[in-house]
């Protein structure tokens, strides 16, 4: 006697997309989530809800955001983000290692998946605050990241939950899936632990959507390397690699960049795991407008190499590799008005000073003389004859520096100066399971599908290597969740 046609492990974005797709194909669906309902939604709840997809222009945005007024449309240049640009971004940031078939599925299905989500009742709106600046009274979007879910990450999860319940999908919280019920050939269900008991549930198929292993400090150190146990986890403490482990236990193939992850500059004094009250507020993503120095007072990375969407996910690792694993981001009054709202939260590690000397003394554990020498050299190197423009890669860089700043370089000379201390915050891991790009089925070490087993979301390997274009995690979970849900329900497994 089966408990559901399809069992889904997890209740984040990928899981909900799988559940909705399975349900629309006529299957009965049971979602099992180990977290309590009060902190539901996994990493997806911690997001800003920003979601990357290819679009041709304003008409696509209008279709996805019917609530946009004509006046808003009038004052906004949404530009376009073609499938070619999405491909280019994926291949460039992953250094041409993204699996071409998975990448094609992700990019080519992205626009349609947005319409599908909208058809289910999901509401989106443009990311005016973070992805567009106002120039000559017109907002101009940049970086290929234009829409977010209504209400950000919490809004995304709340909308998903409401839609799922309306569709008759069952969600059980406080249910940790321990193992797959595998007969040596096919997966027939799962073993579950609730607060009261351990029990088995039967189904035709199981979709694993339980996230990466970023919240497992032992696996982090084992696979990402020494030092990674010291990183803070930006999101859910529940993504400990369970789904990956239980699939590997029955012979699934591992795939992708197991020593790689998405990690960012994150407030140095942030807690061990994400805090729902603060959300993604501990991130500090405005470094392209300033400079970053380490304990020696020296710069160590090109802060302006690209739009932050294309660098932020790899700079967490760079910060982790610095002496004592921290950095300070420094800005002067020419750019403080450009700082993202996360710089204004109350839980921030910040110092302010009227001179660089005073600032140097306030920045804990930084070599004062090293810093002053570095700033002197930096200020002299800025190509001030090129105009500063935050909306484009302005080419206003530095000359003759060992570590150049390629865009948005400004002299630091307008006090008061502000400095923010950051450490490394890990978002999610890149290594995971190998899936069939056409069905979402998990493949075994002979590269054959494991009957009854599918996967989607963070635990799928092979999509991201080294780096990541912002907003692609939610799209990946949506595309592959939808695919896995349809396949699971259509008994193709
Ligand atoms: C601070 C932050 C900001 C981010 N911002 C963005 C953004 O704006 N845009 C974007 O695209 N991406 C963003 N990301 C990345 C994004 O969160 C992930 O790519 C995406 O949410 C992953 O979705 P998922 O469904 O795979 O995993 P999750 O949403 O994490 O869901 C996995 C679920 O599985 C559950 N689970 C784990 N183990 C078990 C088990 N054994 N049994 C049952 N349940 C289990 C977990 O509790 C969790 O609820 C951000 C991440 C963080 C942390």
């Amino acid at each position: 006697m089966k408990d559901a046609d399809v069992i889904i492990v997890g209740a984040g974005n990928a899981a909900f997309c799988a559940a909705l797709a399975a349900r629309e194909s006529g299957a009965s669906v049971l979602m099992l989530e180990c977290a309590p309902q009060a902190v539901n939604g996994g990493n997806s709840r911690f997001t800003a809800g920003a979601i990357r997809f290819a679009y041709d222009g304003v008409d696509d945005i209008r279709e996805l955001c019917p609530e946009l007024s004509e006046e808003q449309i009038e004052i906004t240049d949404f530009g376009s983000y073609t499938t070619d640009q999405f491909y280019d971004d994926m291949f460039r940031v992953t250094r041409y290692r993204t699996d071409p078939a998975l990448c094609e599925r992700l990019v080519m299905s992205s626009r349609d998946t947005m319409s599908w989500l909208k058809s289910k009742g999901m509401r989106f709106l443009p990311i005016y605050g973070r992805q567009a600046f106002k120039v000559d009274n017109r907002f101009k979007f940049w970086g290929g990241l234009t829409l977010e879910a209504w209400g950000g990450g919490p809004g995304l999860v709340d909308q998903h939950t409401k839609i799922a319940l309306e569709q008759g999908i069952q969600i059980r919280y406080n249910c940790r899936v321990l193992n797959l019920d595998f007969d040596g050939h096919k997966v027939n269900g799962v073993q579950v632990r609730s607060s009261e008991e351990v029990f088995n549930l039967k189904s035709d198929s199981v979709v694993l959507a339980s996230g990466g292993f970023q919240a497992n400090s032992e696996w982090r150190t084992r696979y990402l390397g020494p030092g990674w146990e010291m990183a803070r986890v930006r999101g859910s403490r529940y993504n400990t690699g369970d789904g990956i482990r239980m699939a590997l236990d029955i012979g699934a193939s591992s795939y992708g960049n197991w020593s790689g992850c998405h990690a960012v500059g994150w407030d140095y004094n942030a807690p061990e795991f994400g805090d729902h009250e603060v959300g993604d507020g501990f991130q500090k993503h405005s470094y392209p407008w300033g400079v970053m120095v380490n304990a020696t007072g020296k710069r160590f990375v090109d802060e302006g190499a690209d739009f932050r969407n294309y660098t932020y996910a790899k700079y967490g690792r760079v910060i982790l590799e610095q002496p004592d694993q921290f950095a300070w981001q420094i800005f002067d009054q020419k750019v403080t008005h450009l700082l993202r709202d996360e710089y204004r939260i109350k839980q921030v590690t910040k110092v302010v000073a009227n001179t660089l000397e005073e600032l140097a003394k306030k920045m804990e554990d930084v070599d004062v003389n090293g810093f002053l020498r570095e700033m002197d050299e930096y200020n002299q190197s800025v190509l001030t004859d090129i105009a500063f423009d935050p909306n484009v890669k302005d080419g206003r860089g530095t000359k003759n520096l060992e570590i150049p700043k390629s865009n948005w370089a400004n002299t630091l000379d307008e006090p008061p100066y502000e400095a923010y201390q950051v450490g490394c915050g890990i978002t999610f891991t890149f290594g995971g399971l190998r899936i069939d790009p056409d069905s979402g089925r998990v493949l075994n070490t002979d590269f054959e599908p494991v009957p009854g087993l599918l996967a989607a979301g963070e635990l799928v390997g092979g999509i991201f290597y080294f780096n990541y274009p912002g907003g692609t995690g939610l799209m990946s979970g949506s595309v592959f969740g939808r695919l896995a849900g349809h396949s699971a329900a259509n008994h193709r497994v």
Side-chain angles (χ1 to χ4, degrees), residues 8-16 32-35 39-52 127 130 145 148 153 156-157 172 175-179 192 209-212 214 233-243 245-246 262 266 274 279-281 283 285 308 312 426-428 456-460 464 468-477:
I8 311 230
V9 184
N13 177 61
F16 278 114
L32 300 170
E33 167 57 54
C34 63
V39 291
N40 68 341
N43 255 5
S44 303
R45 178 170 284 279
F46 283 93
T47 69
I51 186 157
R52 182 173 293 260
I127 316 172
R130 291 177 164 187
L145 189 53
E148 65 188 350
L156 173 84
V157 172
R172 289 175 67 178
C175 282
R176 181 177 287 279
V177 175
L178 300 175
N179 286 302
V192 187
S210 47
Q214 62 275 3
V233 176
R234 295 178 66 203
S236 167
R237 72 179 172 85
Y238 296 97
N239 292 13
T240 49
D242 283 8
R245 192 254 316 141
M246 55 185 107
H262 179 304
W266 191 247
D280 61 5
Q283 69 196 9
H285 286 179
R308 79 96 214 166
Y312 78 111
I426 183 169
T427 319
F428 66 94
E458 275 176 4
L459 50 53
V460 171
F464 306 117
Y468 157 102
T472 318
L474 289 176
M475 183 46 72
S476 166

Side-chain angles (χ1 to χ4, degrees), residues 164-179:
L165 293 175
E166 282 166 5
Q167 301 284 327
I169 292 164
Q170 263 193 79
I171 312 172
R172 289 175 67 178
Y173 298 98
N174 295 305
C175 282
R176 181 177 287 279
V177 175
L178 300 175
N179 286 302

